[in-house]
Each structure stands twice: as C-alpha cells, then as structure tokens.
Amino acid sequence: MEKLDQIISKHPFTKGMKADHFQTIAGCGRNVVFNAGDYIFHEGEAADHFYLLRHGRVALEVSVPGRAAIQIQTLEEGDIVGASWLVPPYRWAWDAQALETTRLVEFDAVCMREKCDADHDFGYELMKRFAPALGRRLQAARLQLLNIYETAD
Amino acid sequence: MSGSIPEKNSLIPKICRVVGRRVEAENVVTLCLEPETGGPWQSAPGQFNMLYAFGVGEVPVSVSQCASDNEPIWHTVRAVGPVSAALCRLQVGSTLGMRGPFGNAWPLDVAEKKDVLVVAGGLGLAPMRPVIQHLLTRREFYGRVVVLYGCRSREAIIFDEDLAAWAQNDDLELLVTVDRADQAWGGRVGAITTLIDSQTFDPQSVLAMVCGPSLMMRFVVAALTGASCPESSIFVSMERNMKCAIGQCGRCQYGPHFVCRDGPIFRYDKIGSLFRIADI
C-alpha cells in the first residue's frame, strides 16, 4: 500500500518542494474519500482544512433557495481544493461537492497556519504555491463574468 | 496560407435549396443546402460562403460541413441581425442565394505529424467541425488530437450528436466546459483557459487552431503562449465585418490585411500586434 508521503509527493502542488518543507506539510495530512454527492464542506462553516485532489472531481457550488445549486467551477486531479483557510475569517465561501468517488489528501489548516507563523520560510513557500493557483482561478472567474463567447455582431 | 483567388462570377449568387434544417441551440440553426443547378460546391475546412436571404441581405457564414458527393453543404447560423435571423427562419424547401467559397483554409497540411490542439468557443465550433472530421478521417497523419470546447452554458452547446460521438472516440481527446451550470450538467465548469492549463502537450510539436469570438481567442492565445506554445504554431480565425468577400470593399480591413481575401485564418505571429488594438 502506498504511503501518505508517496501520495503527497506525486501531487503537482508539492513538486520541487524542499525536503524539510515537505515533511512539515506531510505531517499535517491524511487520506480521505468522498462518495458521489457527498459534501466536502459547506459555505459558512469553519475553513479548518484544505485538500489536494488525487482522483475524482469536485464542484464548487452556491446553493439557491428553491432551485438547483449553481456550479461555479469543477476541480480535477492535481487541483487544490479550498483556499478560505488562508485568510480571516477562515470560513468557506462555497459548498464543495464530490461529483464522483473522490480521493483527496486533507490537511489540518489550523496546524498549517501555526507552522506558517512559526516558520516564515515555510509559510512563504506555501503562499508561492497557492498564489498561482488562486491567480488562475481569479482570472478564470473574470472570464466567466465577461461572457467571452458572445459575438460582437 | 495565401488567400484564395475568387472566380470571375464570384459576385453572382447561385440559387440553392434548404434540404435539411436543425435547431442547434437558441437562435442557432444549421441549414443543409444543395444547389439548384450544378455542384456540389467544393470547399476546404475554414472557408466561408456569402449567404443571401432574398430581399433582406447577405452575410458571411463559415462552412460547418464541406459538401461531398453524398452530403450537402452545411452552414450553421446564429440569429444576431436581420439577415442572419431571416436565414434562421428558412425552412426545408426554401431557397437562398450563395456565393463562394471564399477565404483560406485551416493549415491541415502544416499540422501533419504534429499534435493538433483545436480550441473552439461557442459558435466557433461550427468552422472547426470540418477540421475535426478531416483529422479523424486522416487520423494516421497526425499526433495527438485534442479538442477543447467552451460555451456559456449547457443550453448554448451546439452539435450535441457530434460531441457525444467524439467523446466515445479514442482517436481524439475531447474536453468540454461551460461557464455556468446547475447540478444536472455533470460536466466541467470553468473558463476555457483552465482546459489549456490542464493540458500537457509538447509546445514544440503542437499546432493550435483557435476559433471563437475575438475576446475568447485573445485569452486563449494568452494561455497558449503562457504554456510556451510558439506564436508561429497558433492559428486563429478572424471572421469579422466581411461584406464583398473578394477584398474590394475594405470593410473587413484588419491593419494591412483584408480578412476576406487574406484570411479568415491567420497565423498568430502575423497579426498578434493587432490583436489588442481596440479601435481596429
């Protein structure tokens, strides 16, 4: 059976990470599995975890009273799930639902925040890995707002 | 990649009849057309015809299926103005005028032996459909074939039957995404650029063909170049403002180019400097 360290090392998020930083992050992780339809987290709840997606698909959604939830983005193998743990008030901004059997590595965000505070080099390394992913998502969200498929004439 | 040389009678429409009609999405209709006399028309993937709704006017529409001995020519039209709306209202048995084909074709010969990345947005899948059909017909001449298709919503997706068939076809990799969806969708949700991020292709051996509204193409090209794809390996379709279709009226002038005569397909490094000029 594959060890957790090996599993985490295969995820793009940890590619090229220094050994001591890798051990720090691996010490806060554990394997989790969600079945299709399970919610990984809900809007407004404490954002006390983040996840590296290994297999499966996850939808970020917003629920709307009286109608089906609206999906904002789907995430796949190699993606990060959850960024609200990074910034106060540490509450999830969206619902996250597994669209199929989904395997992730779950990290204790409280533990991670403490380690970032204690070791700024580690914290900076982590931010350098989150920032590009968040930048791409911000850009993607702006494109979704623009309706880039609308013809000009 | 040079522009086509129009025939002498290229300003005279031929009469053709609607022999099939399919509603693809809201305000989007595919017309299957056969000539009243002569034909079928030979066109290459990427070319366009001028379709004339009698008494209303004429618009350029790209070919969504090239005519063959057994098949009529297809044109897929979105109703956005009086002429295109009149074309969309045509029923089987109606007639319309057509002249063409005009313009150049996608560089399918240049793409041979390379991986091919087809990126289409919204109605931009229509001119890419003959490309995909060609790639599948001559599959052994190409490396990986990856098709990325983005749409506003599930309801805006066109060519459902083709997409379903392509999804089952091991000869190509198809990724479809929509900007917004509810839980019934079941597919990907997100900007089309996120599909490019997820692709692992060798930038030096890929040839990308991009078709969609200009804003979409701008961001797709940025994502491709950001992924180290050389500008000389990216081709875009600049269908805009075409009127005479033979490079005479100047309406489609794009810097030093006439889109109808020199395009509509351009290698990106030839026109990249014009891409972000707002008033052009």
Side-chain angles (χ1 to χ4, degrees):
Chain A
M1 193 170 170
E2 208 171 16
K3 290 182 178 175
L4 184 62
D5 283 13
Q6 292 172 307
I7 291 169
I8 296 172
S9 70
K10 289 178 181 172
H11 197 281
F13 181 77
T14 61
K15 186 179 177 184
M17 189 176 268
K18 281 169 56 180
D20 56 335
H21 291 159
F22 180 83
Q23 289 308 320
T24 302
I25 190 171
C28 290
R30 69 180 185 111
N31 271 318
V32 290
V33 181
F34 292 87
N35 295 317
D38 287 352
Y39 278 88
I40 301 165
F41 50 76
H42 284 281
E43 177 190 344
E45 292 176 350
D48 47 12
H49 296 96
F50 75 89
Y51 303 84
L52 301 184
L53 211 165
R54 297 173 52 207
H55 299 291
R57 292 194 306 133
V58 171
L60 299 183
E61 303 175 347
V62 59
S63 60
V64 185
R67 55 172 288 190
I70 298 169
Q71 295 182 341
I72 301 146
Q73 185 183 22
T74 50
L75 303 172
E76 302 182 5
E77 183 178 326
D79 281 328
I80 304 164
V81 182
S84 300
W85 71 279
L86 280 167
V87 286
Y90 308 120
R91 298 277 170 189
W92 294 120
W94 315 102
D95 298 335
Q97 184 188 193
L99 297 174
E100 54 195 67
T101 302
T102 299
R103 299 176 190 282
L104 310 103
V105 181
E106 179 185 78
F107 294 90
D108 180 337
V110 177
C111 160
M112 204 63 78
R113 285 197 294 262
E114 287 172 358
K115 288 180 176 178
C116 288
D117 285 341
D119 180 351
H120 289 179
D121 284 349
F122 172 71
Y124 180 58
E125 183 64 30
L126 214 56
M127 293 313 120
K128 279 201 297 184
R129 289 165 189 270
F130 264 92
L134 297 181
R136 283 194 297 272
R137 287 187 195 178
L138 176 62
Q139 175 79 348
R142 286 171 169 167
L143 294 184
Q144 287 168 265
L145 279 174
L146 277 173
N147 189 8
I148 57 173
Y149 305 114
E150 190 132 290
T151 49
D153 52 357
Chain B
M1 286 297 295
S2 59
S4 62
I5 300 168
E7 297 172 15
K8 278 183 180 174
N9 60 355
S10 57
L11 288 173
I12 302 171
K14 301 167 194 165
I15 307 299
C16 55
R17 188 168 297 278
V18 179
V19 296
R21 180 183 186 275
R22 195 168 78 181
V23 176
E24 301 288 353
E26 186 179 7
N27 297 326
V28 180
V29 169
T30 292
L31 300 173
C32 311
L33 305 171
E34 283 186 346
E36 285 284 85
T37 54
W41 302 277
Q42 297 301 317
S43 56
Q47 288 192 297
F48 67 96
N49 283 305
M50 299 300 296
L51 301 188
Y52 181 39
F54 296 125
V56 187
E58 193 183 47
V59 287
V61 184
S62 53
V63 175
S64 52
Q65 176 163 293
C66 299
S68 68
D69 291 339
N70 303 319
E71 294 286 344
I73 193 169
W74 287 21
H75 284 286
T76 302
V77 187
R78 171 179 282 153
V80 292
V83 182
S84 53
L87 290 170
C88 284
R89 284 195 299 270
L90 292 176
Q91 300 295 321
V92 172
S94 307
T95 54
L96 69 157
M98 176 190 290
R99 55 190 182 92
F102 298 110
N104 60 1
W106 290 102
L108 290 161
D109 51 345
V110 181
E112 288 189 4
K113 299 180 181 172
K114 296 184 177 214
D115 294 340
V116 182
L117 184 61
V118 173
V119 188
L123 195 62
L125 186 59
M128 302 312 296
R129 186 174 178 273
V131 171
I132 298 165
Q133 290 175 326
H134 175 96
L135 294 170
L136 291 174
T137 303
R138 294 170 57 84
R139 185 65 187 84
E140 67 274 22
F141 293 93
Y142 301 96
R144 282 177 68 200
V145 175
V146 181
V147 177
L148 310 180
Y149 180 44
C151 255
R152 181 66 170 161
S153 66
R154 167 71 190 86
E155 294 72 28
I157 287 175
I158 61 172
F159 302 136
D160 278 313
E161 289 177 18
D162 292 299
L163 290 167
W166 295 336
Q168 300 298 318
N169 191 331
D170 293 336
D171 281 338
L172 62 76
E173 300 159 59
L174 171 69
L175 301 179
V176 179
T177 189
V178 297
D179 276 352
R180 58 175 59 168
D182 62 23
Q183 290 170 318
W185 160 234
R188 290 177 180 79
V189 180
I192 192 166
T193 50
T194 61
L195 300 183
I196 293 164
D197 294 339
S198 72
Q199 289 301 303
T200 49
F201 55 82
D202 178 358
Q204 298 312 312
S205 70
V206 75
L207 187 141
M209 304 183 206
V210 185
C211 188
S214 58
L215 197 57
M216 169 247 164
M217 291 200 292
R218 209 164 89 193
F219 287 105
V220 165
V221 166
L224 287 170
T225 54
S228 303
C229 185
E231 291 186 354
S232 58
S233 297
I234 301 171
F235 292 79
V236 294
S237 181
M238 299 301 299
E239 296 171 24
R240 64 199 303 273
N241 304 334
M242 295 181 291
K243 188 66 180 172
C244 74
I246 54 173
Q248 294 296 312
C249 74
R251 192 165 176 259
C252 66
Q253 186 168 2
Y254 190 54
H257 311 288
F258 290 108
V259 173
C260 69
R261 187 192 65 192
D262 307 325
I265 317 295
F266 291 92
R267 208 173 80 181
Y268 179 71
D269 60 336
K270 305 287 187 188
I271 58 161
S273 60
L274 304 171
F275 234 54
R276 288 177 182 77
I277 299 176
D279 297 329
I280 198 162

